[in-house]
Amino acid sequence: PISLGRIWQYWDPGLVETHGCLRLSRGMEPRTAPEIAGRALCRHILGRDPNDFVGIKWWCKNQPAALGAHFHYDCNFQLHRPSYALVLYLSDVGGPTLILDQYADSEDFRWPEIPQLGHLVMPKSNRCAIFPGELRHGMLAVDKGKVPRYALLYNFFDTFEVPPPHCQAPDFRSYAPVSAWSPTARRLLGAGRARRLVAGEEGRERERHGPLPAEVLEDPEDMPHSSDLGELSSSCPLPSVLRMAEGSGVMRLLWRRAAERF
């Protein structure tokens, strides 16, 4: 599934500016495993019918973990943001996703200027991280490893639909008009198989494991490292990589409280 969006992104002339972002609009039938996964996550994690949303935007990440990911907002069309952003990890490689308490409005690109709170999630195969789509987030590189970090990413939109060519429903069968054939065609599911997978996921009894417990850090001594996250005027304290990997791999970093205790 990871190759699906990446190969099609590079070759389809109609998606030169999509950056691999694909769309499953309301009422569309899923034709690929990532699309079925997105709908299943919507039901089992969000507890909502996928057709409650005007559309699901999705894309793939397959890059060396050492590259990290700059801090950003999803969907840069004025102030349109998804209702929810979701990361589905497909490997245990690399550093954490870090979600900040910063958002943008018509006056401020990021507010507060210095984040007061962060949520940190370490990658683990089949782990899912979901958060409000308006929040600024990124991925921290923790080593120089070149092993690929795999993930599927989803945005769920209640009302706004990202327009083409930035995001559109692709035809994985071809690179038309350049070519009548595409290697991504082999990733398409037959109609019968797709329906069976959808029915299986929708009929699955919800596994009530609940959210992972988050370790709360507020003591400066528990966060001996720091980073300006590539752009901040002041650095945010962080735990060690070893500490990140311990326990549930989910942390709530109370930076303001740590500053008050410093």
Side-chain angles (χ1 to χ4, degrees):
I2 290 296
S3 66
L4 193 67
R6 307 303 286 180
I7 296 174
W8 209 81
Q9 167 198 355
Y10 294 145
W11 289 98
D12 194 292
L15 287 185
V16 171
E17 298 184 23
T18 64
H19 306 293
C21 296
L22 311 172
R23 187 178 74 236
L24 184 65
S25 297
R26 177 186 290 154
M28 288 179 57
E29 293 296 326
R31 302 164 299 154
T32 65
E35 291 171 332
I36 291 174
R39 290 174 62 101
L41 290 166
C42 183
R43 289 187 182 279
H44 294 296
I45 304 299
L46 285 175
R48 292 183 58 178
D49 187 324
N51 288 319
D52 288 347
F53 297 97
V54 70
I56 302 172
K57 170 185 166 184
W58 65 276
W59 65 104
C60 310
K61 280 286 187 180
N62 173 9
Q63 64 181 42
L67 288 179
H70 72 283
F71 281 78
H72 63 281
Y73 302 104
D74 286 349
C75 186
N76 291 311
F77 283 85
Q78 298 177 350
L79 292 176
H80 292 294
R81 302 283 186 244
S83 300
Y84 300 98
L86 186 150
V87 182
L88 177 61
Y89 302 101
L90 302 180
S91 67
D92 304 350
V93 176
T97 300
L98 182 59
I99 303 122
L100 310 176
D101 63 344
Q102 292 178 314
Y103 68 94
D105 57 25
S106 58
E107 297 181 358
D108 296 287
F109 177 66
R110 57 175 180 261
W111 190 91
E113 178 64 26
I114 300 298
Q116 312 291 295
L117 170 69
H119 285 87
L120 182 152
V121 183
M122 289 295 286
K124 186 175 179 61
S125 185
N126 212 33
R127 174 175 290 168
C128 171
I130 188 164
F131 51 93
E134 67 179 1
L135 296 181
R136 194 167 178 81
H137 58 282
M139 191 271 275
L140 299 176
V142 296
D143 56 38
K144 297 181 179 180
K146 298 181 180 180
V147 178
R149 184 179 192 264
Y150 298 110
L152 287 170
L153 303 102
Y154 299 89
N155 285 170
F156 298 88
F157 289 88
D158 273 308
T159 56
F160 179 73
E161 193 161 44
V162 182
H166 306 279
C167 182
Q168 60 181 292
D171 182 353
F172 289 115
R173 297 172 299 178
S174 72
Y175 292 143
V178 176
S179 170
W181 175 85
S182 163
T184 56
R186 68 180 184 272
R187 303 294 187 185
L188 286 169
L189 302 173
R193 186 182 181 193
R195 283 194 295 269
R196 288 193 298 273
L197 286 173
V198 170
E201 290 298 330
E202 293 181 350
R204 183 196 299 269
E205 183 178 352
R206 188 173 180 181
E207 298 178 4
R208 298 187 179 276
H209 296 301
L212 290 171
E215 181 182 5
V216 178
L217 299 186
E218 59 180 271
D219 190 328
E221 293 188 1
D222 290 331
M223 296 180 279
H225 304 280
S226 65
S227 172
D228 65 3
L229 309 183
E231 60 182 10
L232 299 179
S233 58
S234 179
S235 294
C236 295
L238 294 167
S240 68
V241 175
L242 182 61
R243 182 74 177 269
M244 292 180 192
E246 292 176 342
S248 68
V250 179
M251 292 181 170
R252 181 178 172 89
L253 309 178
L254 304 183
W255 288 321
R256 183 181 182 88
R257 193 169 298 177
E260 292 170 348
R261 295 179 58 173
F262 187 70

